Amino acid sequence: MARTTVPSVRARKGSGLTMITAYDAPSARAVDAAGADMILVGDSVAMVVLGYDDTLAVTIDDMAHHTAAVARTKPNALIVGDMPWLSYHVNSEDAVRNAAKLVRAGAQAVKLEGGVKRLPAVHAILDAEIPVMGHVGLTPQSVHAFGGYKVQGKELDAAKAIVDDAVALAEAGCFAIVLECVPDGVARMVTDAVPVPTIGIGAGRHVDGQVLVFHDLLGFTDRTPPKFVRQYADLGGAAIDALSRFVADVQAGSFPSSDETYHLADGVADALGLYGSAAEHAEPISS
Ligand code: KIV
């Protein structure tokens, strides 16, 4: 299968694009094997992997570390590296250098949050030949400014501002735009207003693609998933079940079995005179 590129994503408006987050080699391999178009190395890593309450704690070096792990798997999916809070807010030079860190780690594009306010950073990064994915609506890096994780664009002015932000990002040259937690009517307006694909999360059906967080989709988290998450598995439950069986087997003396053990050849065991034949010693240890 050919590797997904930024131009190929940009050309797929209206075609059911898929993006799933991944933060390390096993998750990236799984997402790629599932046939997703894009892997987002999201700053959600802070919450679903690193145990923070929000995404604000992760740095550009953290994001480069996780991006590199994903990139080492050489996926066909396009790798989008998420720019963390404060990596593009200070000035444009800083934004370009930080975006370059993600590209050097293996990202083919970067994503950043915000609309009109972030245009200087978007322009500067694009000028450095780094493709940018926009992100409007509920932008989790603004959690304190928003007063929590709330659906955005419910009022007239707020809805218009989201459309204006998305149009400005598309005009600046963003190749796709994430729309997070907005009413479906707003998502439809944005999708109709921009020539590039919109990728929704909690934005309903009237978008050009969908993104979900790996751990939410697979039920591998202890937080209550938002209503827009469809959980396709219970990996958390399956993991606890498997780990409990390991604990029980060790406690019962049934792990490891003879087949799971390296044995000395009989002659060597006898010559060592330590404990009879290897075969004899290979039986499970009883408590
Ligand atoms: O970090 C992330 O996982 C994201 C998605 C929610 C779009 O930005």
Side-chain angles (χ1 to χ4, degrees):
M1 208 167 87
R3 194 160 188 198
T4 305
T5 63
V6 164
S8 72
V9 168
R10 189 193 286 119
R12 285 189 47 198
K13 178 129 184 113
S15 74
L17 284 159
T18 49
M19 181 161 83
I20 305 173
T21 67
Y23 316 99
D24 56 17
S27 57
R29 284 194 199 98
V31 169
D32 201 42
D37 298 303
M38 290 174 276
I39 295 175
L40 172 65
V41 188
D43 62 355
S44 51
V45 67
M47 297 169 79
V48 297
V49 174
L50 302 177
Y52 293 109
D53 288 336
D54 54 45
T55 60
L56 305 178
V58 282
T59 65
I60 192 69
D61 291 333
D62 294 327
M63 294 310 300
H65 175 79
H66 289 279
T67 301
V70 166
R72 275 181 218 115
T73 69
K74 300 185 173 42
N76 287 320
L78 185 84
I79 302 175
V80 181
D82 213 1
M83 298 200 61
W85 177 60
L86 227 55
S87 69
Y88 53 97
H89 305 70
V90 177
N91 59 52
S92 295
E93 192 182 317
D94 206 33
V96 175
R97 284 194 201 292
N98 286 328
K101 280 193 184 181
L102 298 187
V103 172
R104 290 206 164 117
Q108 294 150 278
V110 299
K111 175 172 84 58
L112 57 81
E113 297 182 5
V116 172
K117 223 196 304 190
R118 300 296 159 216
L119 284 179
V122 170
H123 283 299
I125 296 168
L126 287 168
D127 275 354
E129 309 300 340
I130 300 171
V132 179
M133 177 180 278
H135 183 161
V136 297
L138 171 56
T139 45
Q141 291 168 15
S142 314
V143 59
H144 298 311
F146 288 155
Y149 298 105
K150 298 174 179 167
V151 177
Q152 300 295 306
K154 293 206 290 198
E155 309 301 332
L156 186 66
D157 286 351
K160 281 183 179 163
I162 290 171
V163 178
D164 290 348
D165 279 340
V167 168
L169 290 171
E171 283 175 352
C174 288
F175 72 99
I177 298 170
V178 169
L179 267 179
E180 180 164 353
C181 280
V182 295
D184 58 352
V186 175
R188 186 196 285 268
M189 280 173 68
V190 171
T191 301
D192 289 347
V194 298
V196 296
T198 53
I199 316 290
I201 175 163
R205 292 180 176 196
H206 305 299
V207 287
D208 302 303
Q210 298 286 340
V211 52
L212 280 181
V213 168
F214 183 90
H215 295 73
D216 289 344
L217 192 160
L218 294 176
F220 204 9
T221 170
D222 60 355
R223 61 186 185 135
T224 310
K227 87 166 196 177
F228 60 78
V229 170
R230 186 176 294 176
Q231 196 178 302
Y232 287 84
D234 176 21
L235 281 202
I240 292 170
D241 179 56
L243 298 170
S244 308
R245 286 191 286 118
F246 166 74
V247 169
D249 284 353
V250 172
Q251 287 170 346
S254 64
F255 176 87
S257 69
S258 177
D259 284 349
E260 291 157 336
T261 302
Y262 298 109
H263 302 291
L264 285 170
D266 284 358
V268 179
D270 290 345
L272 284 170
L274 293 175
Y275 40 67
S277 80
E280 188 183 303
H281 189 66
E283 295 309 310
I285 305 160
S286 54
S287 51

